[in-house]
Amino acid sequence: MLPDYETETDRVHRHLKEDLTRTERLRNWWWYHRFYLLLALLVLLLLGYFAWQDAGVDDPDYHVAWVGVTQLTDEEADALTQRLAAFGEDVNGDGRVVVQLHQYCIDLSSNGEGQSGQEVLAAYNGLETDFTVYQSGIFLLEDPESFQATYGALCRLDGTLPEDDESAETLTVAWEDISTLGALPVDCDCYLGFRGVWDDSGTGEARLEDDWALWCNILSSVE
């Protein structure tokens, strides 16, 4: 019978069991496994961070877009959304009425001239994406005529689609004309309009259904 052959690995393991103390074995184990433990700890920390982020993000009931030259401060944006939220309902059942405001700061009357190239590009791309995915139903506009001339995106106040050459004056309502909204918390003019849906698939109407309900509530208070 051939004698048992002891590999180097076997010899090391036997040495660890016979010659090292418990503390020394723990140190040795840590030395060989520390990278795996640190990696696992990093993964757990990342998962915890993302879970915390998700828990702290409001699930909006409504989406509203601001399109204008003026960049709203956090205080102004909060004041606007709170005024609009007063006309809404808790659609998603989380106990709050949340209106999310998407800002697209573009001077449409000058095609963005005089603004930072990167800022303008980001605003234009963001607005195009908003249109594509039917993100926002209600639009707050500083310059509705330029907006409509550029995009032709607004419908009439009652939701019907306008003629090609229809003026934005018939498609929007001034904030100041809706007394129940209160004073505009921004130092500029603001007009409200709703985006039209030319897609016959029904996708647009479905995605903007909640925003349309908010829009109707707001307009019902116009004197």
Side-chain angles (χ1 to χ4, degrees), residues 170-192:
T170 65
L171 309 177
T172 59
V173 56
W175 180 289
E176 62 183 13
D177 290 340
I178 308 176
S179 59
T180 50
L181 281 173
L184 180 66
V186 183
D187 188 20
C188 66
D189 293 328
C190 177
Y191 299 83
L192 292 79

Side-chain angles (χ1 to χ4, degrees), residues 5-214:
Y5 177 75
E6 185 178 45
T7 65
E8 181 64 19
T9 300
D10 294 334
R11 188 189 67 78
V12 171
H13 286 168
R14 180 173 55 79
H15 170 70
L16 292 177
K17 293 180 180 179
E18 296 176 357
D19 300 332
L20 298 183
T21 66
R22 178 180 177 84
T23 301
E24 288 173 332
R25 287 198 297 271
L26 287 174
R27 289 176 179 172
N28 184 78
W29 185 88
W30 164 255
W31 176 259
Y32 285 103
H33 297 85
R34 66 190 189 281
F35 295 113
Y36 300 104
L37 289 175
L38 291 174
L39 180 60
L41 179 60
L42 178 61
V43 170
L44 289 175
L45 288 174
L46 287 174
L47 291 175
Y49 171 77
F50 289 127
W52 175 78
Q53 286 284 83
D54 289 340
V57 174
D58 290 329
D59 182 18
D61 299 288
Y62 307 100
H63 292 269
V64 175
W66 169 269
V67 183
V69 181
T70 305
Q71 174 71 43
L72 303 182
T73 65
D74 290 341
E75 292 75 15
E76 291 171 335
D78 287 342
L80 278 175
T81 54
Q82 288 173 13
R83 302 281 179 82
L84 297 173
F87 293 85
E89 299 177 352
D90 178 17
V91 176
N92 55 30
D94 62 0
R96 295 172 295 176
V97 179
V98 177
V99 175
Q100 184 168 338
L101 185 69
H102 307 277
Q103 293 196 53
Y104 307 110
C105 296
I106 315 169
D107 185 358
L108 292 173
S109 63
S110 63
N111 294 320
E113 293 181 8
Q115 295 178 277
S116 167
Q118 286 187 331
E119 292 177 355
V120 172
L121 182 61
Y124 273 110
N125 288 340
L127 185 53
E128 289 289 351
T129 301
D130 196 308
F131 288 142
T132 301
V133 301
Y134 298 99
Q135 179 172 252
S136 303
I138 298 174
F139 280 75
L140 306 179
L141 309 166
E142 278 195 88
D143 185 358
E145 289 292 347
S146 295
F147 177 83
Q148 185 64 7
T150 302
Y151 293 106
L154 299 177
C155 63
R156 298 191 181 101
L157 301 184
D158 62 0
T160 57
L161 298 180
E163 301 293 335
D164 292 338
D165 58 348
E166 193 161 342
S167 170
E169 183 178 355
T170 65
L171 309 177
T172 59
V173 56
W175 180 289
E176 62 183 13
D177 290 340
I178 308 176
S179 59
T180 50
L181 281 173
L184 180 66
V186 183
D187 188 20
C188 66
D189 293 328
C190 177
Y191 299 83
L192 292 79
F194 200 89
R195 68 158 298 178
V197 177
W198 282 262
D199 179 9
D200 295 331
S201 68
T203 300
E205 287 89 347
R207 291 183 177 176
L208 300 178
E209 181 179 2
D210 294 331
D211 290 344
W212 177 252
L214 177 63

